[in-house]
Amino acid sequence: MLVDTHTHLCDPVFDADRSEVLERARRAGIGAVVSVSETLAEVERNLALAEEYPGRVLPAAGLFPTNLDRDQAAAIGERLRSDRDRFVAIGEVGLDYWKVQEPEGRELQRAIFAGFVELSLELDLPLNVHSRSAGRPTIELLLELGARRVQLHAFDGRAAKALPAVDAGYFFSVPPSIVRSRQKEKLVRRLPLENLLVETDSPVLGPDPDQRNEPANARLALERIAELKEIPLEAAERAIADNTRRLYGEAVA
């Protein structure tokens, strides 16, 4: 079964029906979700969800890039070190130049992100990376720091900007919003199948922007990838599953 490699399952919007959401995902062929964190409080929430739904909720710990809080970043880093084996990834971390536009804010954002990149190397954990309106600087920083296990989620840049990351063996996760995004379609056409994953970014980036997105919709991303690559759905599913295992290893085996 596939893995939704980037979702916010700890979001309160799922509190009323989280079990049903995971069951719908299972019926759609999505066996597990990587639930990313945006704050220290969400790190703890994701760990609790992983205990409640073992093998189905895979927790990641990170600080959303617009949260320019060195102390909170340090606390999340210590949490990752102390319980490294309970986490499958570091994320959601990265750069966001759409919301953070002041030079001082961007420098602080880069410093916090660099700390998480170094931590991923120390702990040998994948990075689940946000790069809104910052595709090129994000990839440049990752390459500069020698990042190895990287997932660029919902990449919003041009395919040409993504190619250095492909050469480095990084992965790009595709959300179901691809069904309404020419940019995402162009990206999938240009990038090798071997570098693609599926995600949902639930509860956002769904096929309908006015409705709550959920992990079952990762199937829509898979189907569109197969169509754009002009390959059978089963072949696309095998390739995406293999890619997920190559990045996340035993955590998704």
Side-chain angles (χ1 to χ4, degrees):
M1 301 185 89
L2 290 175
V3 175
D4 175 356
T5 59
H6 184 108
T7 188
H8 298 263
L9 200 69
C10 64
D11 192 296
V13 74
F14 292 117
D15 284 351
D17 64 343
R18 192 170 281 108
S19 295
E20 290 84 354
V21 165
L22 287 169
E23 178 56 23
R24 283 193 290 273
R26 187 195 65 78
R27 291 200 300 267
I30 312 301
V33 303
V34 175
S35 190
V36 297
S37 309
E38 295 189 353
T39 64
L40 181 58
E42 287 193 356
V43 172
E44 300 303 329
R45 179 67 173 138
N46 276 327
L47 286 173
L49 290 175
E51 293 289 331
E52 186 175 355
Y53 302 101
R56 294 200 289 169
V57 176
L58 310 175
L63 185 68
F64 196 74
T66 59
N67 194 339
L68 304 177
D69 185 339
R70 284 184 183 271
D71 291 340
Q72 192 169 177
I76 291 170
E78 287 308 307
R79 196 70 173 93
L80 280 157
R81 285 190 179 93
S82 65
D83 266 323
R84 185 256 181 244
D85 291 339
R86 297 179 67 189
F87 295 101
V88 301
I90 297 173
E92 172 170 9
V93 296
L95 302 179
D96 190 315
Y97 285 2
W98 184 62
K99 285 193 173 181
V100 179
Q101 299 183 3
E102 303 80 9
E104 297 82 2
R106 288 185 176 181
E107 281 305 307
L108 178 54
Q109 190 177 73
R110 284 174 59 88
I112 290 171
F113 181 38
F116 282 119
V117 175
E118 291 164 1
L119 189 61
S120 78
L121 293 168
E122 174 189 334
L123 300 180
D124 190 26
L125 281 170
L127 287 162
N128 201 305
V129 177
H130 175 109
S131 58
R132 182 166 47 179
S133 298
R136 178 179 290 173
T138 299
I139 291 171
E140 288 176 348
L141 185 57
L142 288 164
L143 295 174
E144 177 187 332
L145 296 175
R148 292 191 297 268
R149 302 174 67 188
V150 176
Q151 169 184 345
L152 288 143
H153 112 86
F155 189 78
D156 66 359
R158 294 188 347 223
K161 295 181 180 179
L163 295 181
V166 169
D167 292 340
Y170 298 168
F171 295 87
F172 291 78
S173 52
V174 180
S177 60
I178 188 175
V179 303
R180 54 183 173 86
S181 170
R182 292 190 64 190
Q183 178 268 332
K184 295 288 187 296
E185 288 185 342
K186 289 179 181 178
L187 188 72
V188 166
R189 283 194 179 99
R190 185 79 179 272
L191 301 188
L193 179 62
E194 292 75 19
N195 294 84
L196 299 181
L197 308 170
V198 293
E199 64 155 290
T200 61
D201 201 21
S202 301
V204 298
L205 294 191
D208 183 339
D210 297 322
Q211 294 187 10
R212 183 187 74 172
N213 191 20
E214 59 181 63
N217 287 329
R219 192 82 189 174
L220 300 178
L222 172 70
E223 291 169 355
R224 191 64 184 130
I225 290 170
E227 291 169 359
L228 293 168
K229 293 299 190 185
E230 299 182 341
I231 59 175
L233 182 61
E234 295 78 8
E237 188 165 9
R238 285 195 299 272
I240 298 297
D242 284 346
N243 297 345
T244 308
R245 283 190 291 270
R246 283 195 289 126
L247 179 61
Y248 284 96
E250 293 182 1
V252 300

